[in-house]
Amino acid sequence: MAARLVVCTTCRASEDAPLDAGGRAGGQALLDEVLAAASTEPGNVRVEGQACLWACSSFCTVYLSEPGKPAYLAGRFSPTSEAGRDILAFARLYAASENGAVAYRDWPEGMKGHFIARLPPDR
């Protein structure tokens, strides 16, 4: 089974800017970067976009889940290719884990300091 990585498509690009330099919502720009990273190699993560995850104060948010594992909400990302790669790398480690736990030493640098919540698994 693949993990589900949902990127908010309507998040603003930064604390002060609703759009990125190309005129896209920050969340849409981040989704584009995650999808670009995912296109380079197939994997165990299903990437999708969704309008508004209701985490507006934490702009550029993502939600990661898989049945039987805790889910994660993370945000305050910049919509960059580096962020897209790091988010996807963490999601792949999460998907490959037995219980959703990824050792801190294995976290991509770009994920550190971005977690908002760890949510209990669906039963």
Side-chain angles (χ1 to χ4, degrees), residues 1-2 38 41-42 49 53 63-65 79-80 88 100 118:
M1 178 173 298
E41 113 184 33
L53 290 176
Y63 172 76
L64 180 61
S65 67
T80 63
L88 184 63
R118 180 175 185 256

Side-chain angles (χ1 to χ4, degrees), residues 2 9 12 16 18 22 36-39 41 45 50 56 58 60 64 74 80 92 98-99 101 114:
T9 59
R12 61 186 187 268
D16 303 319
S39 72
E41 113 184 33
V45 177
Q50 175 180 307
C56 302
S58 296
C60 284
L64 180 61
T80 63
R92 287 180 171 159
E98 186 175 318
N99 60 4
H114 289 275

Side-chain angles (χ1 to χ4, degrees), residues 10-62:
T10 54
C11 281
R12 61 186 187 268
S14 70
E15 187 84 43
D16 303 319
L19 304 176
D20 74 353
R24 297 172 297 175
Q28 183 61 55
L30 183 61
L31 174 60
D32 292 346
E33 296 296 349
V34 172
L35 288 170
S39 72
T40 63
E41 113 184 33
N44 52 358
V45 177
R46 186 177 75 242
V47 179
E48 57 190 77
Q50 175 180 307
C52 201
L53 290 176
W54 286 17
C56 302
S57 64
S58 296
F59 59 93
C60 284
T61 56
V62 299

Side-chain angles (χ1 to χ4, degrees), residues 73-96:
L73 182 67
R76 297 186 262 330
F77 293 102
S78 295
T80 63
S81 58
E82 182 179 355
R85 286 191 304 269
D86 284 351
I87 291 165
L88 184 63
F90 181 86
R92 287 180 171 159
L93 291 169
Y94 167 87

Side-chain angles (χ1 to χ4, degrees), residues 99-123:
N99 60 4
V102 176
Y104 182 78
R105 70 177 175 275
D106 296 330
W107 291 11
E109 197 60 40
M111 288 301 294
K112 295 175 180 175
H114 289 275
F115 288 96
I116 298 167
R118 180 175 185 256
L119 306 158
D122 289 336
R123 299 270 180 222

